[in-house]
Amino acid sequence: MNWPLTGCSNGISPACSSMKPAAPSAHYFPALTGLRAAAAFLVYAHHAKPTVPFASDFFRLLFQEAHIGVSVFFVLSGFLISVRYSHSFQQKGGSNWVSYAWQRFARLYPVYFLCTLAALFFRHDFRPDSWILNLLMLQGLFPQFSFTGVGVGWSMTVEVFFYASAPLVLLYGKRLGLLKSTAVTLLLGVLLLAIGQLPLPYEFVPDWNFLIRSTFFGRCFEFYLGIWLARHFLLPPTSAPMKLRPGLLTYGGALGIVACMLGMAYLNRLAPSSPVLFHGLNNVVLPFFIGGLLLGLTREKTWFSQALGSRVGQELGKGSYLFYLVHYTFGFDILYFHVWPNKGGVLLLLAVLSVAGYHLLEAPLQKLVLKWQPSRPISETKSA
């Protein structure tokens, strides 16, 4: 979304790099828009597993765990929702919930609806239950349907549950704290797990592994950590100044992410039947490094932040949602097998088409839906 930039030039200035809290109106971070593209490309690499001619074993391990792009999206969602809506909810409480829900709907659903329809027809999936669950964005709760529709829809179910819970977390999560909020949410997930043990027509949240891996209740820590980081290090009046070596957060976070990816790859090789350590690394340890990277990109002037925040990086970031939705089903079935049998070429084509699709389809649809908003728009802080 091409919002006007205020405050720090390109989101960064000497004042910003000293880690001092900024006013809410200054919270547009171009590098975080570019980071969305990097996260989407990581997920693409996980599915495509392209061959790299040099250091092939190293990159094979990285691509195997490049699903961590989804974790980047989750932490980033918590971070940006906190930046954009904390101020309004603290001022007006629940009176803004309808407007908030409409804005999230306009952002998430119109292009998802079109992509899902196209995917269901393309896959010749005409089962009524599949259509209902996919169009309601609930397929992620049912293992049988988790990868139907656009194929990555399970993560959209996780995102929707976060959006639904975010107002409560923003209003009351500070009282509970990060760990208690996570524990309460996980306990609510146990209720779903108990329901899943009943003799239902379809398999529903069948076991702990599914709960922790594929539902909001098991992945909530990633979102909550993003909220916690924004609340404590970005948003006044509770934000705390930090004085660290320039680049430490950015490069330390990035190296930590790579280390977690390699760690998960070796865990899969050494103990594939024991997911506890894997989920602990993916759901708990990894988010801290992602959070460090986010803070670094918002506060440190590095070549990484400049590249992600460049015009090209921002354009790719704008198209990243559409890229994420279409890469799994259409990227290979159409482009790779029928247009260009080159995984790098498919990535390039998808990136260009997704940016064009953002400007020609996604953004106009969002604006159209927002015009129908039934209540006064919520006052939100502009962010990446």
Side-chain angles (χ1 to χ4, degrees):
M1 301 177 190
N2 194 19
W3 287 305
L5 179 64
T6 57
C8 306
S9 175
N10 291 329
I12 302 164
S13 75
C16 289
S17 62
S18 66
M19 302 298 289
K20 294 179 181 179
S25 60
H27 287 152
Y28 172 66
F29 306 110
L32 296 190
T33 301
L35 182 64
R36 294 208 306 261
F41 296 164
L42 279 172
V43 178
Y44 172 86
H46 170 66
H47 290 136
K49 294 182 175 59
T51 301
V52 179
F54 57 92
S56 57
D57 288 341
F58 174 78
F59 283 101
R60 179 176 54 80
L61 291 176
L62 284 186
F63 293 155
Q64 175 184 318
E65 306 305 331
H67 57 80
I68 65 99
V70 175
S71 296
V72 175
F73 281 129
F74 290 168
V75 179
L76 185 59
S77 288
F79 188 85
L80 293 179
I81 287 294
S82 182
V83 170
R84 295 180 64 185
Y85 295 107
S86 285
H87 186 67
S88 293
F89 278 119
Q90 288 171 4
Q91 282 191 329
K92 298 184 179 181
S95 62
N96 280 326
W97 286 21
V98 173
S99 180
Y100 159 81
W102 192 265
Q103 288 183 14
R104 292 296 88 203
F105 173 82
R107 172 69 182 91
L108 205 68
Y109 195 73
V111 70
Y112 169 85
F113 175 78
L114 294 179
C115 289
T116 298
L117 284 183
L120 289 170
F121 277 109
F122 181 74
R123 291 182 165 192
H124 303 287
D125 184 353
F126 301 110
R127 296 170 295 171
D129 42 12
S130 181
W131 277 62
I132 292 171
L133 291 175
N134 275 279
L135 294 179
L136 290 178
M137 304 179 83
L138 294 177
Q139 71 271 41
L141 298 176
F142 300 84
Q144 179 182 345
F145 298 96
S146 289
F147 300 102
T148 56
V150 294
V152 294
W154 72 269
S155 63
M156 305 310 301
T157 303
V158 176
E159 196 78 29
V160 166
F161 270 82
F162 167 65
Y163 284 159
S165 64
L168 288 173
V169 177
L170 292 177
L171 282 172
Y172 307 113
K174 186 178 179 181
R175 302 177 189 177
L176 290 175
L178 177 62
L179 296 181
K180 289 183 180 178
S181 297
T182 302
V184 169
T185 306
L186 186 58
L187 284 175
L188 292 175
V190 173
L191 294 178
L192 293 185
L193 186 61
I195 295 173
Q197 309 312 305
L198 299 175
L200 303 173
Y202 302 107
E203 198 174 20
F204 174 82
V205 191
D207 53 44
W208 275 100
N209 186 43
F210 184 88
L211 178 72
I212 299 299
R213 183 188 71 242
S214 302
T215 74
F216 166 70
F217 303 94
R219 306 294 294 265
C220 64
F221 182 78
E222 294 160 276
F223 296 96
Y224 293 169
L225 181 65
I227 291 175
W228 184 87
L229 288 171
R231 176 180 290 149
H232 285 271
F233 298 111
L234 210 61
L235 298 174
T238 59
S239 53
M242 296 177 62
K243 294 182 180 180
L244 299 172
R245 184 181 180 88
L248 180 62
L249 287 171
T250 301
Y251 298 128
L255 289 174
I257 290 170
V258 172
C260 286
M261 293 171 71
L262 294 175
M264 286 186 284
Y266 282 111
L267 282 175
N268 271 330
R269 178 181 295 179
L270 295 175
S273 61
S274 178
V276 176
L277 291 177
F278 179 90
H279 292 323
L281 189 56
N282 185 78
N283 295 14
V284 179
V285 178
L286 174 65
F288 281 103
F289 290 110
I290 295 173
L293 176 62
L294 296 186
L295 288 178
L297 291 176
T298 62
R299 294 306 201 184
E300 298 174 341
K301 185 174 183 179
T302 62
W303 70 266
F304 198 35
S305 65
Q306 290 177 317
L308 291 176
S310 66
R311 182 61 183 271
V312 172
Q314 291 184 71
E315 287 298 312
L316 291 172
K318 292 172 185 176
S320 61
Y321 179 45
L322 186 56
F323 178 97
Y324 181 71
L325 290 178
V326 303
H327 84 275
Y328 186 85
T329 297
F330 304 109
F332 290 99
D333 289 348
I334 295 179
L335 295 180
Y336 182 75
F337 291 112
H338 300 287
V339 177
W340 192 356
N342 181 293
K343 294 176 180 179
V346 170
L347 173 64
L348 178 62
L349 284 176
L350 281 174
V352 172
L353 293 173
S354 297
V355 171
Y358 170 81
H359 290 287
L360 297 176
L361 181 66
E362 182 181 345
L365 281 175
Q366 183 179 356
K367 291 179 180 179
L368 179 63
V369 174
L370 286 175
K371 287 182 180 179
W372 301 337
Q373 187 164 323
S375 59
R376 184 177 179 181
I378 189 174
S379 174
E380 67 174 50
T381 300
K382 302 304 181 186
S383 59

